[in-house]
Amino acid sequence: MAYYLDEEKLYQAMKNLTEFFRLDSFQGKTFLDIGSGSGLFSIAAQKLNADKVTSVDLFTNLIKKCKEQYKFDTQWEIIEGSILDKNIISQIQKHDLVYCWGVVHHTGKMWEAIENVSNLVKPKGRVYMGIYNESDNIGFYPDGRFGTSKQWRLIKKIYVNLPSFIQTLFEYYAILSISLIYLLTLNNPIKKLRSIETRGMNWRTSLKDWLIGYPYEFSPPENVVEFFVKKGFKLIKIRTNNGLLTNHYCFELS
């Protein structure tokens, strides 16, 4: 995958973290980045003066390269493994701030993964999670996606089992379909596609990331909130949607 960790994306990542954790600085805090990917948010946490950053991902080549490129005084630990792996979890101490965005819904055991994430938060600590919304609406959404969550679970399951050349054709078909939708709604396709660049990925990589994202699970907001409240957390901030996008949650452990 192609990642672009330019200063603008780092700025946006920092803005996102401070907004949802509701903190202007991470000084005096430890930061855990679960499913760190390119390392974008691990670097953002260091720029926000976190005392220590721990990055966890199944594939750590990209983030190790980032560690070589970006030099910080912050202690930065990189752990290779899954949030479902008990041996990996046992290596991780509880943290003040835990960030896990767009990860648990691709594990195949979403609620077990959420449980494991929640257990890594210190008392008075906060966790910021991104989990796909459950949508039963058949319709078009502002980002060009359409249909229901269950429909996309089937599409994704089919896509990941296709030969690579057919996957490529599928991607081009998706790009053309999305572009047509934007044109019909009087939007600039290039501008709109570039606007979906997230987590350090360009729009083409973001599109493939969406298509290849299987296992694919989802939840209505009330189920996520109920789960965390039962574990002694209180809701700090939430951003939800009525479509297929990710809902954002920040909880604090009492």
Side-chain angles (χ1 to χ4, degrees):
M1 289 186 178
Y3 288 87
Y4 300 87
L5 300 188
D6 59 40
E7 289 303 314
E8 174 60 25
K9 287 184 172 57
L10 283 173
Y11 169 78
Q12 291 298 328
M14 292 168 64
K15 182 179 178 182
N16 184 270
L17 290 177
T18 55
E19 176 189 351
F20 257 80
F21 279 116
R22 304 186 79 172
L23 294 169
D24 293 330
S25 170
F26 290 178
Q27 189 170 6
K29 307 290 186 183
T30 57
F31 181 87
L32 175 60
D33 186 1
I34 300 172
S36 49
S38 67
L40 174 63
F41 284 83
S42 293
I43 295 168
Q46 292 178 73
K47 280 183 167 286
L48 289 166
N49 300 313
D51 284 6
K52 178 184 177 182
V53 171
T54 302
S55 307
V56 182
D57 201 275
L58 279 171
F59 309 101
T60 58
N61 288 339
L62 278 172
I63 197 166
K64 286 177 180 176
K65 289 180 180 178
C66 286
K67 187 175 182 180
E68 293 173 1
Q69 180 180 353
Y70 291 87
K71 305 298 183 183
F72 293 95
D73 294 331
T74 305
Q75 184 183 349
W76 189 359
E77 181 182 14
I78 297 173
I79 299 174
E80 186 168 314
S82 167
I83 189 59
L84 296 176
D85 188 331
K86 300 297 184 184
N87 292 326
I88 295 298
I89 295 169
S90 67
Q91 299 176 37
I92 305 171
Q93 296 180 339
K94 293 181 184 290
H95 283 64
D96 298 300
L97 304 174
V98 177
Y99 177 76
C100 185
W101 197 95
V103 175
V104 296
H105 50 227
H106 290 315
T107 61
K109 296 181 179 179
M110 184 175 77
W111 291 105
E112 180 182 338
I114 293 173
E115 172 79 22
N116 292 344
V117 171
S118 68
N119 289 335
L120 294 171
V121 184
K122 282 183 179 180
K124 302 300 180 183
R126 296 180 180 181
V127 56
Y128 173 13
M129 300 198 72
I131 301 170
Y132 278 134
N133 184 53
E134 180 175 358
S135 174
D136 294 323
N137 300 320
I138 300 176
F140 291 96
Y141 304 108
D143 64 339
R145 287 179 249 203
F146 58 90
T148 69
S149 299
K150 291 179 180 178
Q151 170 194 325
W152 274 103
R153 181 163 58 193
L154 177 60
I155 292 172
K156 288 165 177 283
K157 184 176 182 179
I158 293 170
Y159 175 85
V160 297
N161 289 295
L162 292 173
S164 58
F165 76 95
I166 297 181
Q167 285 185 348
T168 301
L169 292 176
F170 194 101
E171 291 165 28
Y172 280 115
Y173 172 76
I175 293 169
L176 288 172
S177 299
I178 293 170
S179 298
L180 180 60
I181 291 169
Y182 286 145
L183 286 170
L184 291 174
T185 54
L186 303 179
N187 286 291
N188 183 327
I190 296 174
K191 185 177 180 179
K192 292 292 288 185
L193 285 169
R194 285 179 176 170
S195 72
I196 68 173
E197 294 181 359
T198 58
R199 294 174 62 82
M201 296 183 284
N202 65 20
W203 67 265
R204 178 68 185 275
T205 305
S206 294
L207 174 63
K208 187 173 182 66
D209 186 62
W210 164 253
L211 291 171
I212 207 168
Y214 186 84
Y216 170 66
E217 295 179 82
F218 35 81
S219 175
E222 55 268 26
N223 289 2
V224 177
V225 173
E226 181 182 13
F227 173 90
F228 276 94
V229 169
K230 284 182 176 179
K231 287 189 64 73
F233 288 81
K234 64 179 179 180
L235 183 64
I236 297 297
K237 188 174 177 65
I238 186 170
R239 181 190 298 151
T240 62
N241 69 94
N242 294 319
L244 297 164
L245 296 176
T246 302
N247 292 327
H248 299 234
Y249 309 87
C250 184
F251 298 93
E252 181 176 89
L253 183 59
S254 301

